[in-house]
Amino acid sequence: MRRTLLSLAVLGCTFSTLPAPAQRRQTALPGPPTVDRRVELLSIVARMADFKEYNDSSNRAYVKAIHAHFDPYRGHPVIGLAKMIRDSFGVGYDAVMAMAVHLSQPPNLQPLLPFTDSIPNPRWGSMAKRFADELRAFYAEAHCAEFFGQMQPMYDSALGRYNAIFDRLDVNWYQRFYGRAPKTTFHVVLGMGNGGGNYGPRVVFPGAREDAYAIEGVDSVDASGNPFFEEDWFLPTLVHEFNHSFVNYLSDLHRQALAGAGEVLFDSTKTIMARQAYTNWQTMENEALVRAAVVRYLMDHTDGGQPPMAELGVQVNRRGFFWLRDLVALLGRYETERTTFPTLESFMPEIVRFYDTLAPDIASYQRRLSDSSIRVVRMAPFQSGDTNVTPGIREISFTFDQPFFEGHFQFGPSRKGAPQYEFVGVSYSPDHKTIVLKVNLKPNTLYEMYTGGSFYISQKGFPAKRFDFTFRTGAQ
């Protein structure tokens, strides 16, 4: 389950419809979450075409139903075409969802805008119209309407659970923070077949009116197989996706001014960014500004699902945005100087200057991050290097020099080999400085392990230095 916060290396809603333009809501506030047949259809086609990112099986009951209904149609032309487009043009991830929202609701599945080199997404290129034609045929021939009708009770159940989180979203914060009302209609969509993938596609109509989507993947289920939604993950993710509609156009407006420093910064982070499908400096900077805005939202909302420093730590330590702490502070200055900067757009020259200062000083930023990491200062009831540890010991404690957030930890094999003990669980000290590893040890056995790393997050948002330890147990 992707949303788990630890890594242990020892082991009433209906489908959305697209109203006619005259009926479209004028408010920027999102309506109730939905399950969208276009999203489900594209996700199913991508699954049948073996797109890795659309083959998560966490939502077990739904995935089983998909295969039972659609496996006989794997030979349909749209599946082969999808494979070819993926292999030849790199279509996947967000490009799949971009196609979904640029089509009308089934069975028509007509383009909402004329397809171009960039619509629905540049990766579709000249293949978009052909794919949409084949998709329309697939919808009828694979009896998709029948499948979606059968799944409606499952959709309704998931939406009922998700609404408890959606109702916590402060939709008015966006206009307060950004200082403008977007020409945007927001849509919150559950991607029942998307696994852990979350996407934020948008459709920009003539006149700059925009439909923005927060498509949240479903990859967590309870013991009965029903989707459930962890607030400390889903609420910040929801906040994140809607920020894009206020942020992305800003880098377009200042593209020339941001490009130089952006390219330097991206070159230093491209490996970790590529793992998140961020392939250029502009996407990286959009993501950074969005993530900094999420932290500011959490600082304003004690019921935001996750402590702001924990969210900051995830983005800095695990996602590679090592400069985010300073960007969050810069947005704090923006919030205190709104008379001078009534909108974030008016503040963008300050953000340009921030990146111009950052680009030649990347090494020192990274060094400061490393120097601020928390450290293990005590291991008990024995020390690393001991050679006659009692195998009956059931707890090993590790005390750090600063408190950290519970639920964020990592134990794994040292460079010399895999661990051999049986992991039982963990507990924490009241001061949040000590983690207690509960284990079953074998006699006459050498153990070589490590803890620390980016999964730990101090209560100031910093990672932990890696701590390698080794010991050998004695006879029983």
Side-chain angles (χ1 to χ4, degrees):
M1 185 177 71
R2 177 184 54 80
R3 295 189 174 94
T4 301
L5 293 177
L6 62 90
S7 170
L8 185 74
V10 299
L11 308 177
C13 298
T14 59
F15 288 110
S16 66
T17 56
L18 194 65
Q23 299 171 315
R24 190 176 298 275
R25 296 162 49 249
Q26 296 303 307
T27 176
L29 307 184
T34 64
V35 174
D36 190 311
R37 294 190 182 202
R38 301 169 299 170
V39 167
E40 297 308 307
L41 177 61
L42 266 294
S43 176
I44 289 167
V45 169
R47 181 180 292 273
M48 293 295 104
D50 299 321
F51 285 33
K52 180 178 66 174
E53 67 275 20
Y54 286 93
N55 266 271
D56 187 294
S57 298
S58 300
N59 192 0
R60 295 185 299 273
Y62 188 58
V63 170
K64 182 179 179 181
I66 287 173
H67 284 291
H69 184 99
F70 290 101
D71 277 356
Y73 301 99
R74 282 184 178 271
H76 192 279
V78 77
I79 306 302
L81 181 61
K83 292 181 178 180
M84 184 276 286
I85 294 173
R86 176 199 62 198
D87 294 341
S88 300
F89 298 92
V91 165
Y93 293 96
D94 59 316
V96 176
M97 294 295 99
M99 172 63 78
V101 301
H102 278 84
L103 297 172
S104 63
Q105 289 288 337
N108 293 333
L109 296 170
Q110 295 292 333
L112 297 175
L113 295 168
F115 287 158
T116 67
D117 290 342
S118 60
I119 298 174
N121 179 281
R123 281 168 282 174
W124 285 98
S126 61
M127 304 303 296
K129 183 181 184 304
R130 179 181 167 190
F131 179 84
D133 291 342
E134 294 287 4
L135 184 69
R136 200 173 305 114
F138 177 80
Y139 186 84
E141 294 164 12
H143 308 287
C144 295
E146 177 184 340
F147 173 79
F148 292 140
Q150 293 171 349
M151 294 297 103
Q152 188 65 52
M154 186 180 294
Y155 299 153
D156 289 341
S157 175
L159 288 165
R161 293 179 172 214
Y162 185 77
N163 274 329
I165 291 176
F166 175 77
D167 290 344
R168 301 283 295 278
L169 178 67
D170 178 6
V171 294
N172 295 308
W173 176 86
Y174 294 93
Q175 186 167 342
R176 293 197 306 269
F177 182 79
Y178 290 100
R180 61 179 287 269
K183 297 179 180 179
T184 300
T185 300
F186 292 128
H187 304 270
V188 183
V189 176
L190 287 186
M192 294 288 289
N194 283 10
N198 302 298
Y199 303 100
R202 51 194 41 79
V203 183
V204 180
F205 294 91
R209 183 176 55 80
E210 181 178 76
D211 276 356
Y213 292 80
I215 301 175
E216 298 247 31
V218 177
D219 71 344
S220 302
V221 297
D222 62 19
S224 300
N226 298 310
F228 80 95
F229 305 96
E230 299 172 81
E231 184 176 307
D232 64 352
W233 174 270
F234 276 92
L235 187 53
T237 301
L238 186 58
V239 174
H240 175 116
E241 294 301 338
F242 283 131
N243 272 297
H244 275 291
S245 292
F246 294 85
V247 163
N248 289 11
Y249 85 98
L250 296 173
S251 66
D252 290 333
L253 289 177
H254 296 271
R255 182 180 177 85
Q256 185 174 355
L258 289 166
E263 288 170 354
V264 171
L265 183 58
F266 182 73
D267 188 62
S268 74
T269 60
K270 59 186 176 184
T271 299
I272 192 169
M273 294 300 160
R275 291 202 292 266
Q276 301 168 84
Y278 305 148
T279 58
N280 59 71
W281 70 265
Q282 189 170 9
T283 300
M284 175 196 69
E285 289 196 1
N286 286 343
E287 288 293 333
L289 189 51
V290 162
R291 290 159 196 255
V294 170
V295 175
R296 299 306 308 186
Y297 176 98
L298 295 175
M299 292 171 76
D300 287 343
H301 298 79
T302 57
D303 61 347
Q306 178 156 236
M309 287 300 101
E311 177 69 17
L312 176 64
V314 169
Q315 304 308 330
V316 171
N317 306 339
R318 300 182 204 164
R319 308 300 185 202
F321 296 93
F322 63 85
W323 64 97
L324 205 69
R325 180 181 306 276
D326 293 69
L327 187 56
V328 169
L330 185 63
L331 292 184
R333 178 189 150 208
Y334 157 69
E335 289 197 89
T336 63
E337 298 181 14
R338 294 299 291 274
T339 301
T340 304
F341 304 105
T343 66
L344 190 62
E345 182 176 329
S346 67
F347 192 70
M348 277 303 292
E350 301 301 310
I351 293 177
V352 170
R353 277 190 281 274
F354 167 77
Y355 278 112
D356 285 342
T357 302
L358 167 63
D361 202 27
I362 290 172
S364 65
Y365 269 78
Q366 294 173 326
R367 186 168 54 252
R368 288 199 300 272
L369 177 62
S370 177
D371 291 345
S372 300
S373 298
I374 62 175
R375 294 163 171 78
V376 172
V377 294
R378 183 173 181 267
M379 177 180 173
F382 54 86
Q383 301 299 309
S384 178
D386 284 358
T387 57
N388 191 29
V389 173
T390 303
I393 287 174
R394 294 291 178 261
E395 295 184 345
I396 310 171
S397 66
F398 301 86
T399 301
F400 290 81
D401 60 349
Q402 297 178 44
F404 56 89
F405 289 104
E406 294 184 9
H408 300 259
F409 68 88
Q410 185 171 29
F411 289 90
S414 186
R415 298 177 180 89
K416 297 180 180 180
Q420 302 176 59
Y421 61 74
E422 178 186 347
F423 170 77
V424 178
V426 298
S427 63
Y428 303 91
S429 64
D431 64 1
H432 305 289
K433 289 186 176 182
T434 299
I435 184 169
V436 179
L437 179 65
K438 302 176 186 299
V439 298
N440 288 326
L441 301 177
K442 299 176 182 178
N444 299 314
T445 301
L446 176 66
Y447 294 95
E448 296 169 330
M449 295 288 296
Y450 81 92
T451 190
S454 62
F455 272 83
Y456 283 88
I457 300 174
S458 79
Q459 292 188 4
K460 294 181 179 179
F462 293 105
K465 288 282 190 184
R466 178 178 170 125
F467 175 74
D468 289 86
F469 58 95
T470 180
F471 61 93
R472 183 181 292 276
T473 53
Q476 188 67 45

